[in-house]
Every structure is written in C-alpha cells, then in structure tokens.
Amino acid sequence: KAGVTQTPRYLIKTRGQQVTLSCSPISGHRSVSWYQQTPGQGLQFLFEYFSETQRNKGNFPGRFSGRQFSNSRSEMNVSTLELGDSALYLCASSLGGREREQYFGPGTRLTVT
Amino acid sequence: GENVEQHPSTLSVQEGDSAVIKCTYSDSASNYFPWYKQELGKRPQLIIDIRSNVGEKKDQRIAVTLNKTAKHFSLHITETQPEDSAVYFCAAIDSGTYKYIFGTGTRLKVLA
C-alpha cells in the first residue's frame, strides 16, 4: 500500500497570504489528523476529520481550518498568515477506530516571510 | 479527557547501554499506546505499540511495558546504537473522543 502523501512538500508565503495544504491518506483509512510542529517542539494537534466530519479540534485560532472529501483526502487552510505559522505541518491517517495505528505523512514545511 | 506526561525530556546514553523512556496517562479507559520515533528532518514513524490486554511487547532491541493499574507505560531500548538517536513520542488515545494524545517527546542521544 502507498503511504500517506502530502503536497506541497515546501512552501514559502508572505505574511497576510493564505495557504492550502493537501493530504492523501493510506487507502482505506477514513481518519486524517493534522499537526503543527515547530523546531524543537512536540506535535501540536490541529484537528481530525473522520468520514468527512470534523471529529476533534485542537486549540488553534479560526484562521486554521480543514475539510475532508469523500475519498478521504483532506486539505488544511491557513488564512492571514503570520510569521509564527512557520512550521512543519504533518498529517496522519488511520482507520479511525479506538485502537488504531496512525501513520504520518512526510509533512509540508511552511515558511512565512 | 486524556493527558499524557513523558519523561525525561532529554536522555544521553553511551552506545551499547540501555535507554528507558516513561509515560503516564490519565484516562483509565485508554487501551492503545503507540510509540513514535522521529529522526531529524523526517516524519514520526510508528516503532511499536501495545494494547491494554498485554503487559509487555518486544521487537528485537525495543520493548514496551504497560502497567494499567499505575497508568504508565515505558519504552525500553537495549544495546543502543548511534542510529537510535532521535526524538521519541509516546501517545494514548482518549477513550471518549478517540483523539491521539501525544507526550512532549524525549530527545535521545546515543554517544559513540
């Protein structure tokens, strides 16, 4: 099976712009979670989508939003970018059950200048 | 909701020695506990996991133990090698929301 893929891998944006990141889960996986990771920091949970519905949400401002399509692919959008949004954005997919293995994509490195 | 604490935040060991990383969780109904390894510049990789009906699981030089009564689980790496140097994250799943709750990570350095 192909692994989790994310596009683009690298992105440079200017403060105030918006950005959309994409995540394609492992075939058959219905859950996609998004995380933000800044240098030397842990995994900050953004949100999780399961069967096209947001199932969980982290403590990020409303500038961060997401959605999931019927094929389980997910997108994350950040509007009005700030310098502090520069980070590695990781998505992870799983079957979605209570005892589920979660696999990460390679991440999108976003730089805001 | 679930809360996961991880210790230590950094750990240095001599090559060949053992390393132990410990995590505690709060949700007594949690029943799945994975460990991830993240090398510099790479994605977190699932290296081992344990379910609540098992007390210990081994995979070559890596083992995980679970104490449900005390609500803690640990990662044990034996005969450490330089390639074991990475950040390790533990996690638990909140039984109510099914949300992954990660520990804050342990930076392991294996000194040659």
Side-chain angles (χ1 to χ4, degrees):
Chain A
K1 276 186 178 177
V4 181
T5 59
Q6 291 185 245
T7 57
R9 294 292 312 280
Y10 303 91
L11 205 50
I12 300 175
K13 289 286 188 178
T14 303
R15 195 170 41 184
Q17 289 185 315
Q18 74 164 14
V19 67
T20 299
L21 312 181
S22 180
C23 174
S24 292
I26 292 171
S27 177
H29 283 190
R30 297 164 63 191
S31 167
V32 174
S33 296
W34 288 89
Y35 299 86
Q36 181 196 66
Q37 189 174 41
T38 48
Q41 296 301 308
L43 298 161
Q44 304 300 314
F45 175 75
L46 282 153
F47 30 66
E48 178 198 6
Y49 286 85
F50 178 74
S51 294
E52 301 180 66
T53 300
Q54 189 180 82
R55 180 160 74 172
N56 287 296
K57 189 176 188 305
N59 298 319
F60 277 78
R63 300 186 297 108
F64 293 81
S65 63
R67 58 178 176 169
Q68 187 179 35
F69 302 95
S70 58
N71 62 357
S72 293
R73 187 178 71 85
S74 178
E75 288 183 346
M76 187 190 105
N77 184 274
V78 188
S79 63
T80 320
L81 284 165
E82 300 177 359
L83 295 178
D85 296 334
S86 294
L88 179 67
Y89 290 89
L90 293 157
C91 75
S93 80
S94 74
L95 290 171
R98 193 173 156 190
E99 297 181 14
R100 64 191 194 277
E101 299 165 2
Q102 182 172 253
Y103 298 94
F104 283 87
T108 294
R109 185 162 297 282
L110 171 65
T111 302
V112 182
T113 62
Chain B
E2 178 71 281
N3 183 51
V4 175
E5 294 188 1
Q6 183 172 349
H7 299 282
S9 56
T10 60
L11 180 60
S12 293
V13 299
Q14 289 294 133
E15 183 178 358
D17 286 350
S18 295
V20 180
I21 303 170
K22 298 181 179 179
C23 289
T24 60
Y25 62 97
S26 60
D27 182 354
S28 57
S30 291
N31 57 7
Y32 178 66
F33 308 91
W35 285 89
Y36 288 83
K37 174 185 181 182
Q38 187 176 27
E39 297 177 75
L40 192 62
K42 297 192 176 180
R43 75 184 82 186
Q45 296 268 19
L46 177 65
I47 56 171
I48 196 167
D49 56 17
I50 192 166
R51 289 171 170 78
S52 60
N53 57 345
V54 175
E56 182 176 7
K57 184 177 179 180
K58 287 184 179 179
D59 183 3
Q60 299 183 344
R61 296 185 298 107
I62 293 174
V64 57
T65 58
L66 172 64
N67 183 326
K68 286 224 75 181
T69 302
K71 291 191 281 188
H72 66 71
F73 56 110
S74 301
L75 178 71
H76 305 253
I77 306 173
T78 59
E79 300 173 19
T80 54
Q81 300 168 5
E83 52 264 37
D84 294 327
S85 295
V87 178
Y88 292 81
F89 293 97
C90 65
I93 295 182
D94 185 291
S95 62
T97 65
Y98 291 14
K99 180 179 166 183
Y100 257 67
I101 308 298
F102 282 92
T104 49
T106 296
R107 184 173 298 278
L108 174 64
K109 293 182 183 178
V110 180
L111 308 172

